C-alpha cells in the first residue's frame, strides 16, 4: 500500500467532492472513510485509476451519510448524480485547497489550523503543539472552522499571507516532527512563488531550501540530534543552498522586507560560513533585530538572545534572555546553553534537565538529557 500516493491524492479528491456540492466537513469525513477502505482492499485488488476509485468511493460514502440525515442537511438536490465513470483527470488541487481553507470568513488562526488538519495531514495534537494550546482547544477551533466553510464555493479567494503561514508550519512539522511533510511543503511553495507576485513567497521558499539543505546533517546514525555548530557541513546540500541564496537575493532586491525573508537571511548567513566559528553572528543579530521589529515575537527574541550570546558573549546573551518570559518554549534550553558558555556548569546541568522534561519530542528530549548528563559527569571528576 502506497500511503504517500494516498496522501498526495487526498486534496484532489476532497476538492472534487466540494465542487460537486458537498460541504467541507462532510466531504472530509467521506474522503477519510474512502482512505480507510483503500487501505483495506488495495493490497489485494489495486485499482487501475487510484484517484478515480477514491472519488467514486468517497462520493458514495458522502451520499450515504447525506441520505441518512436528509431531514437535517437537506442537500438531496446537490447529490443526486454519481460521478461519471472512467479515469479521473490527473490534476493537483492541493494549493487550491489551501486557498479554500484560507477563506476570508475565517480568522487567520482558524484558517491555518483547518488547513493543517484537512490538507496538511497533521493531527490535532501536532497542531495544538505548534500553537502551544491544549489539544481540546484546538479541536474546538478546527470544528468551528469546518462549520464556517461548509458550503463555501471554491471561487472565493483566500489570503496569500495565511497560505504562506500554513506552508511554513507544515514545513516545520515535516522538518522536526513525526510526519515527513517538508518536501511537500517545498513543492507547494514553489507553485505559489511561481503563481503570485509576492516577495514573501520567494522568501519562504528560500528559507525552506536553506533549512532543507542541512537536513541530512541534523541527525547522527543513531537518530540523535546534531546541533548546528557540530554538523558535518560537507553533508549540506550545496545545490539547495545556492538556489535558496539566489532566490533570497532577488526577493531582497525588491525592498519589500518581510519576516520570511529576514529568517532566510539568517539561514543564509549560517549556510555561508565554512565553519561554525566563522559564522557572522554580528550580522545575524542585526537580522534578528529586523525580525523582532517585523513580528514582535517572543520566540524571535529568544533566538536573538542566543545570537547576542555568540556575538557579544554569554553574559550579554543572558541579559537579553532576562527580559523574556521564562515560560517560553526552549527558554530553559537557551538559558542552559548560555550559562554553560559563562562557565556555570551546575546551573547549566540543572536547566538542561529541566528543558529535557519540557521537550516536545523524543529526539530533543534525549539530546537535552545527554547535555545534562555530560555536565554532571564533568562535575564528578
Amino acid at each position: 500500500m502506497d500511503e504517500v500516493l494516498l496522501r498526495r491524492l487526498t486534496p484532489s479528491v476532497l476538492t472534487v467532492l466540494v465542487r460537486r456540492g458537498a460541504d467541507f466537513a462532510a466531504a472530509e469525513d467521506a474522503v477519510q472513510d474512502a482512505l480507510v477502505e483503500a487501505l483495506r482492499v488495495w493490497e489485494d485488488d489495486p485499482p487501475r485509476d487510484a484517484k478515480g476509485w477514491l472519488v467514486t468511493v468517497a462520493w458514495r460514502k458522502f451520499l450515504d451519510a447525506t441520505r441518512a440525515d436528509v431531514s437535517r442537511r437537506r442537500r438531496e438536490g446537490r447529490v443526486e448524480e454519481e460521478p461519471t465513470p472512467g479515469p479521473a483527470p490527473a490534476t493537483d488541487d492541493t494549493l487550491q485547497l489551501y486557498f479554500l481553507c484560507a477563506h476570508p470568513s475565517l480568522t487567520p488562526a482558524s484558517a491555518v489550523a483547518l488547513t493543517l488538519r484537512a490538507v496538511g495531514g497533521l493531527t490535532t495534537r501536532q497542531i495544538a503543539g505548534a500553537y502551544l494550546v491544549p489539544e481540546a482547544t484546538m479541536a474546538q477551533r478546527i470544528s468551528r472552522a469546518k462549520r464556517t466553510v461548509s458550503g463555501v464555493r471554491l471561487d472565493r479567494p483566500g489570503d496569500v499571507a495565511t497560505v504562506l503561514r500554513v506552508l511554513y508550519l507544515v514545513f516545520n512539522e515535516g522538518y522536526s516532527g513525526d510526519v515527513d511533510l517538508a518536501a511537500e511543503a517545498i513543492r507547494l511553495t514553489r507553485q505559489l512563488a511561481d503563481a503570485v507576485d509576492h516577495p514573501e513567497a520567494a522568501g519562504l521558499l528560500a528559507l525552506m531550501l536553506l533549512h532543507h539543505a542541512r537536513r541530512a546533517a541534523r541527525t547522527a546514525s543513531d537518530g540523535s540530534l546534531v546541533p548546528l555548530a557540530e554538523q558535518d557541513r560537507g553533508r549540506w546540500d550545496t545545490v539547495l543552498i545556492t538556489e535558496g541564496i539566489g532566490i533570497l537575493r532577488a526577493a531582497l532586491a525588491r525592498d519589500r522586507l518581510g519576516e520570511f525573508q529576514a529568517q532566510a537571511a539568517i539561514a543564509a548567513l549560517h549556510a555561508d560560513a565554512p565553519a561554525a566559528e566563522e559564522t557572522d553572528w554580528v550580522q545575524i543579530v542585526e537580522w534578528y533585530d529586523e525580525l523582532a521589529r517585523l513580528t514582535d515575537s517572543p520566540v524571535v527574541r529568544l533566538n536573538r538572545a542566543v545570537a547576542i550570546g555568540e556575538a557579544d558573549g554569554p553574559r550579554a546573551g543572558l541579559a537579553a534572555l532576562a527580559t523574556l518570559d521564562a515560560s517560553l518554549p526552549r527558554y530553559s534550553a537557551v538559558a542552559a546553553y548560555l550559562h554553560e558558555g559563562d562557565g556555570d556548569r551546575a546551573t547549566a546541568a540543572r536547566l538542561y534537565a529541566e528543558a529535557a522534561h519540557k521537550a516536545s519530542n523524543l529526539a530533543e528530549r534525549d539530546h537535552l538529557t545527554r547535555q545534562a548528563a555530560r555536565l554532571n559527569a564533568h562535575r564528578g571528576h
Side-chain angles (χ1 to χ4, degrees):
M1 170 59 61
D2 189 345
E3 294 188 22
V4 174
L5 174 62
L6 286 177
R7 187 184 301 160
R8 178 65 62 83
L9 289 174
T10 297
S12 294
V13 177
L14 183 54
T15 302
V16 170
L17 266 65
V18 173
R19 282 175 174 166
R20 289 181 176 274
D23 71 59
F24 193 93
E28 187 191 7
D29 290 341
V31 172
Q32 294 301 319
D33 288 344
L35 294 176
V36 171
E37 186 74 5
L39 289 169
R40 187 178 69 82
V41 305
W42 279 16
E43 186 171 353
D44 296 326
D45 185 21
R48 292 182 180 178
D49 174 25
K51 179 181 174 182
W53 188 98
L54 286 170
V55 168
T56 299
V57 172
W59 188 256
R60 286 173 179 164
K61 289 185 178 296
F62 168 69
L63 287 177
D64 290 343
T66 301
R67 287 167 178 158
D69 199 18
V70 65
S71 61
R72 179 172 64 86
R73 297 179 181 273
R74 298 192 180 280
R75 297 190 186 276
E76 287 288 357
R78 298 186 183 186
V79 297
E80 290 179 351
E81 295 184 3
E82 293 276 350
T84 56
T91 58
D92 181 2
D93 297 308
T94 308
L95 193 58
Q96 186 176 15
L97 201 54
Y98 270 64
F99 274 93
L100 170 64
C101 292
H103 192 265
S105 61
L106 294 174
T107 65
S110 294
V112 170
L114 177 62
T115 314
L116 290 172
R117 179 69 187 92
V119 192
L122 275 63
T123 65
T124 303
R125 176 174 296 178
Q126 288 169 326
I127 302 167
Y131 274 89
L132 309 177
V133 299
E135 184 176 354
T137 300
M138 184 53 65
Q140 292 174 354
R141 183 181 298 177
I142 292 171
S143 294
R144 286 195 299 268
K146 286 181 180 180
R147 289 194 297 270
T148 300
V149 298
S150 291
V152 166
R153 294 182 60 83
L154 282 172
D155 55 3
R156 295 283 304 275
D159 177 59
V160 173
T162 302
V163 174
L164 288 170
R165 175 64 52 190
V166 174
L167 288 167
Y168 174 69
L169 290 173
V170 170
F171 177 81
N172 282 346
E173 186 61 40
Y175 187 66
S176 61
D178 300 324
V179 182
D180 186 358
L181 296 169
E184 175 70 357
I186 291 173
R187 184 183 73 85
L188 293 173
T189 305
R190 284 189 188 279
Q191 289 185 9
L192 184 59
D194 288 341
V196 300
D197 182 23
H198 199 303
E200 277 290 80
L204 179 57
L205 178 57
L207 175 64
M208 289 180 175
L209 294 173
L210 290 165
H211 277 306
H212 206 58
R214 301 199 304 259
R215 189 167 190 181
R218 291 185 71 246
T219 54
S221 57
D222 62 358
S224 60
L225 289 180
V226 180
L228 177 61
E230 300 172 19
Q231 288 176 14
D232 177 1
R233 299 185 178 221
R235 299 184 65 195
W236 291 1
D237 189 328
T238 55
V239 173
L240 289 182
I241 290 172
T242 300
E243 182 186 6
I245 290 175
I247 292 170
L248 173 63
R249 285 174 176 166
L252 291 175
R254 301 181 63 181
D255 198 24
R256 289 167 57 192
L257 183 64
E259 63 173 298
F260 294 130
Q261 294 170 71
Q263 286 191 55
I266 293 168
L269 287 167
H270 285 297
D272 266 344
E277 57 271 17
E278 297 180 59
T279 304
D280 188 346
W281 286 105
V282 172
Q283 194 173 167
I284 287 176
V285 170
E286 292 174 356
W287 276 111
Y288 270 121
D289 289 341
E290 288 287 345
L291 192 54
R293 180 182 61 80
L294 289 165
T295 66
D296 195 28
S297 164
V299 174
V300 168
R301 297 185 186 280
L302 186 71
N303 292 329
R304 177 179 174 272
V306 176
I308 289 174
E310 299 289 352
D312 300 327
R315 291 194 179 181
L318 286 168
L321 187 66
T323 65
L324 302 175
D325 186 345
S327 66
L328 279 172
R330 293 184 58 249
Y331 183 99
S332 296
V334 170
Y337 178 78
L338 293 170
H339 275 291
E340 181 182 358
D342 196 39
D344 186 353
R345 298 190 176 202
T347 300
R350 175 180 59 79
L351 288 168
Y352 275 130
E354 180 181 310
H357 180 70
K358 298 176 180 177
S360 59
N361 64 68
L362 184 59
E364 183 181 357
R365 185 180 310 150
D366 288 347
H367 171 71
L368 293 167
T369 301
R370 281 193 296 271
Q371 296 295 87
R374 172 180 58 81
L375 292 180
N376 285 325
H378 186 275
R379 290 169 59 205
H381 287 302

